[in-house]
Amino acid sequence: MADVKLAIIYYSSTGTVHGMAERLQAAGEKAGAEVRLRQVPELAPEEAIASNAAWSQHFDRTKDEPKATADDVVWADAVLFGSPTRYGNVASQLKQFIDTLGPQWAQGLLANKAYAGFTASQTEHGGQESTLLALYNTIYHFGGIVVAPGYTDPLKFADGNPYGVSHVTGGGNDRPLTEVQFAALDHLATRIVTIAGKLAA
């Protein structure tokens, strides 16, 4: 299998998607990939961030982390996009980053890569599946290859999301990730690295 370059590009407001991204980074590296973990810039006004203590704390903790650029997507053989749900859709911060990739898209530099997504919401039916499906609409325009996990491992019957990986944070955004989500994230990273390696071979 060829050496795989994996970009994990995400937005996280209160830290859940950030934690998922870090787990994917560890799993991707364990699977043999070279990994870039990149956060997209925050777009929300200061007063909105300040209105939520968890949001404000996470912003302060991560404001100096490397920010995503178009080069991170062009560089990669596989890309994992992460976003919390926003009314059943991708957060505007991640969508804005994706919308800046027009020049690379026009040159065909986003095609023929493996893509998948991960997300989180406060409630169990809070738009996790529609968020991932909305994300994948963009991947089709890229000419990318969606590498959803499906039910390719029995553990997916525990986490229950064939479209990607998701987590329910609860109303207070304080429900921690569990071994169920960690196993699903590990599987997603290993699967996309494996398939990207076959595509690059």
Side-chain angles (χ1 to χ4, degrees), residues 65-176:
E65 292 195 359
K67 297 300 182 278
T69 68
D71 177 67
D72 295 315
V73 183
V74 173
W75 166 86
D77 302 304
V79 182
L80 290 169
F81 283 122
S83 171
T85 66
R86 290 293 182 266
Y87 308 112
N89 213 323
V90 177
S92 60
Q93 290 86 342
L94 180 63
K95 185 62 167 61
Q96 194 274 342
F97 170 77
I98 290 172
D99 286 349
T100 69
L101 300 176
Q104 292 74 29
W105 164 78
Q107 296 173 66
L109 299 176
L110 309 181
N112 305 323
K113 301 174 185 289
Y115 294 86
F118 57 105
T119 189
S121 64
Q122 288 190 356
T123 58
E124 190 167 351
H125 298 287
Q128 295 178 348
E129 293 172 359
S130 62
T131 295
L132 293 171
L133 290 170
L135 171 66
Y136 295 157
N137 286 338
T138 299
I139 305 311
Y140 303 139
H141 283 253
F142 287 176
I145 300 163
V146 175
V147 183
Y151 292 101
T152 53
D153 187 285
L155 63 84
K156 291 303 295 179
F157 290 94
D159 110 285
N161 190 336
Y163 304 98
V165 178
S166 57
H167 176 58
V168 178
T169 64
N173 284 315
D174 56 1
R175 189 178 297 168

